[in-house]
């Protein structure tokens, strides 16, 4: 089976954009992606895979072809809906198409507009992407679900504290302050995060990601295309893994792990012939602060119960041994549901090709993206490697 490469990526700013539509946001992401892929144009794209939840009723109709046609791509388009993991799965589908030989150039991306609906409407559309009958219709929100996970974690591991949740938030806000695309580009202190208003005990406002508008895309190509265009900056898709699980938290055996993340990571590591110790940096799904701590453990970065120590010791800081969420993560970069997974892979590509600007890490070679749907009903993990044998144009 042939190799697949990411050779371009782009995203909009993440935030609130009342003058934009989901079509115009996605078109901007496509423009930026193609501009970053020197030598390739719209006419080279064979097909597109796009992810979105469809907040505000955009689940209805053919929103996939609607965005690609508006962006000037008259190609077969598949829409993927896997809650917050939608465009992570879109990237996986693109990789499958390229590796199988069905296509040579595939655009994968995602989009979401979340700020043009009322709070009640937004909560409804977010809610029905989770376990509807036994969780959402009984009044449980996603914040409430992750709060149950956080409380279970704090109870199971005596050394863990609310301040550890806050440390993840403080780190990601500091990282977002260096990211021009981030929604919350301001720093916060440990006291700011811990003492903020409670959203769902023990989670405070600073432990929760914002609602966000935005779009992101990446260009996945075959080995032949990458070789034929020597000016492209290419990162090899070393591994990609996906897994599903019970949608309802109450249906699972544990509240202090996301088994789908663990299984997706195992598959990605096996495909890449690598392990957690080989990862130089990661973008993980921190929709709530507890989710970042669980990700450290699910992805094998540490043993169960040791995630707080990674934060306290600075291991996952931008200058630490394993930087996590250098983009600011969902917590501070923003979380436009359908765009998040593609945005994570875009960050990997930028870091591996030296395009990350003020937040650029020092010579990373292996990056991992971790994208979760709902409270863990779906997960996808993507591993990219910098291509040391090819000289790209930066």
């Amino acid at each position: 089976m042939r190799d697949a490469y990411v050779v371009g990526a782009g995203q909009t700013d993440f935030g609130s954009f009342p003058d934009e539509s989901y079509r115009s946001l996605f078109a901007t992401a496509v423009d930026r992606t193609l501009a970053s892929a020197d030598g390739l144009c719209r006419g080279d794209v064979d097909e597109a895979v796009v992810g979105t939840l469809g907040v505000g009723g955009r689940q209805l109709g053919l929103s996939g072809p609607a965005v690609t046609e508006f962006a000037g791509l008259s190609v077969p388009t598949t829409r993927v809906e896997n809650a917050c993991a939608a465009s992570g799965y879109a990237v996986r589908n693109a990789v499958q198409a390229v590796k199988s030989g069905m296509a040579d150039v595939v655009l994968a991306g995602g989009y979401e507009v979340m700020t043009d609906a009322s709070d009640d409407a937004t909560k409804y559309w977010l809610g029905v992407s989770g376990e509807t009958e036994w969780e959402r219709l009984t009044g449980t929100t996603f914040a409430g679900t992750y709060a149950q996970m956080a409380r279970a974690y704090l109870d199971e591991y005596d050394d863990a504290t609310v301040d550890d949740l806050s440390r993840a938030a403080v780190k990601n806000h500091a990282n977002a302050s260096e990211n021009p695309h981030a929604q919350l580009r301001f720093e916060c202190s440990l006291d700011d995060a811990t003492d903020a208003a409670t959203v769902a005990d023990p989670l405070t406002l600073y432990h929760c990601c914002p609602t966000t508008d935005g779009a992101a895309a990446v260009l996945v190509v075959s080995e032949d295309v990458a070789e034929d265009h020597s000016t492209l900056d290419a990162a090899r898709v070393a591994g990609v893994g996906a897994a599903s699980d019970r949608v309802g938290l109450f249906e699972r055996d544990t509240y202090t792990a996301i088994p789908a993340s663990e299984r997706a990571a195992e598959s990605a590591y096996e495909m890449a012939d690598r392990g957690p110790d080989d990862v130089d940096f990661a973008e993980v799904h921190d929709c709530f602060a507890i989710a970042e701590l669980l990700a450290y453990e699910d992805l094998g970065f540490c043993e169960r119960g040791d995630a707080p120590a990674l934060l306290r010791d600075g291991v996952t800081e931008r200058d630490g041994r394993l930087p996590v969420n250098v983009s600011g993560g969902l917590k501070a970069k923003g979380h436009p549901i359908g765009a998040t997974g593609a945005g994570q892979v875009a960050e990997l590509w930028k870091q591996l090709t030296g395009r990350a600007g003020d937040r650029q890490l020092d010579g990373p070679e292996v990056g991992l993206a971790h994208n979760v749907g709902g409270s863990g009903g779906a997960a996808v993990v993507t591993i990219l490697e910098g291509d040391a044998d090819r000289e790209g144009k930066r």
Side-chain angles (χ1 to χ4, degrees):
M1 189 176 292
R2 61 186 185 171
D3 276 338
Y5 289 82
V6 175
V7 297
Q11 69 168 81
T12 65
D13 292 348
F14 285 1
S16 177
F17 306 109
D19 295 331
E20 300 282 356
S21 69
Y22 70 102
R23 289 180 172 92
S24 64
L25 287 168
F26 189 72
T28 297
V30 170
D31 288 345
R32 292 175 178 175
T33 299
L34 291 170
S36 71
D38 189 36
L40 296 179
C41 63
R42 281 171 173 76
D44 295 311
V45 178
D46 297 318
E47 62 178 276
V49 189
V50 296
T52 184
L53 174 63
V55 173
R58 296 178 190 88
Q59 292 188 12
L60 309 175
L62 291 171
S63 62
V67 296
T68 52
E69 288 288 344
F70 189 85
L73 293 170
S74 296
V75 296
T77 299
T78 302
R79 176 191 158 184
V80 176
E81 192 281 289
N82 234 358
C84 315
S87 62
Y89 270 80
V91 173
R92 177 176 180 262
N93 288 1
V95 171
Q96 289 176 322
V98 168
K99 289 179 77 69
S100 72
M102 290 288 290
D104 285 310
V105 181
V106 183
L107 184 128
Y111 48 91
E112 211 74 65
V113 173
M114 302 177 68
T115 64
D116 66 341
S118 69
D119 289 344
D120 286 343
T122 300
K123 282 190 290 187
Y124 169 80
W125 287 106
L126 291 176
V128 296
S129 68
E131 207 297 323
T132 302
E133 185 176 8
W134 296 106
E135 288 183 344
R136 300 303 176 260
L137 293 182
T138 60
T140 305
T141 63
F142 270 123
T145 299
Y146 276 92
Q148 293 177 62
M149 299 164 81
R151 177 52 60 196
Y153 190 92
L154 297 179
D155 288 346
E156 184 168 342
Y157 302 109
D158 293 337
D159 189 46
T161 69
V162 173
D163 276 354
D164 293 315
L165 303 177
S166 297
R167 287 184 176 91
V170 170
K171 170 181 68 69
N172 293 342
H173 271 275
N175 290 342
S177 70
E178 301 291 340
N179 184 354
H181 294 306
Q183 182 173 5
L184 305 179
R185 295 191 63 198
F186 57 86
E187 298 189 35
C188 70
S189 69
L190 193 66
D191 287 342
D192 289 335
T194 297
D195 297 338
T198 298
V199 175
D201 187 58
L203 301 179
T204 73
L205 181 64
Y206 276 83
H207 299 151
C208 308
C209 69
T211 54
T212 313
D213 305 335
V218 300
L219 205 60
V220 181
V221 308
S222 67
E223 191 172 4
D224 289 343
V225 171
E227 290 177 352
D228 288 345
H229 294 78
S230 60
T231 58
L232 289 171
D233 274 338
R236 189 173 77 91
V237 182
V240 60
S244 298
D245 199 0
R246 299 292 185 119
V247 175
L249 180 62
F250 72 95
E251 298 176 295
R252 299 186 210 143
D253 294 332
T254 178
Y255 279 27
T256 58
I258 295 180
S261 294
E262 187 173 14
R263 294 197 301 271
E266 289 171 352
S267 296
Y269 289 140
E270 182 178 1
M271 180 184 290
D273 194 24
R274 290 188 177 274
D277 291 342
D278 296 315
V279 176
D280 294 321
F281 70 104
E283 290 287 310
V284 307
H285 198 93
D286 63 322
C287 49
F288 299 91
I290 183 60
E292 178 160 334
L293 274 69
L294 297 184
Y296 294 172
E297 299 174 11
D298 293 333
L299 298 171
F301 296 155
C302 64
E303 298 296 323
R304 295 290 174 190
D306 287 347
L310 293 192
L311 287 161
R312 295 172 192 171
D313 295 343
V315 172
T316 58
E317 296 281 347
R318 190 167 57 189
D319 59 355
R321 174 177 58 79
L322 177 61
V324 174
N325 287 340
V326 177
S327 70
L330 285 62
K331 171 62 200 78
K333 180 185 180 182
H335 183 27
I337 302 292
T340 287
Q344 291 176 320
V345 176
E347 180 70 16
L348 298 192
W349 179 77
K350 289 178 182 179
Q351 289 287 351
L352 291 169
T353 59
R355 294 172 177 253
D358 291 340
R359 65 188 184 282
Q360 178 65 50
L361 299 173
D362 183 16
E365 296 180 1
V366 179
L368 179 149
H370 159 255
N371 191 199
V372 175
S375 60
V380 56
V381 171
T382 305
I383 299 172
L384 297 189
E385 296 177 348
D387 190 3
D389 294 330
R390 303 181 71 253
E391 292 185 2
K393 178 182 178 182
R394 296 179 184 172

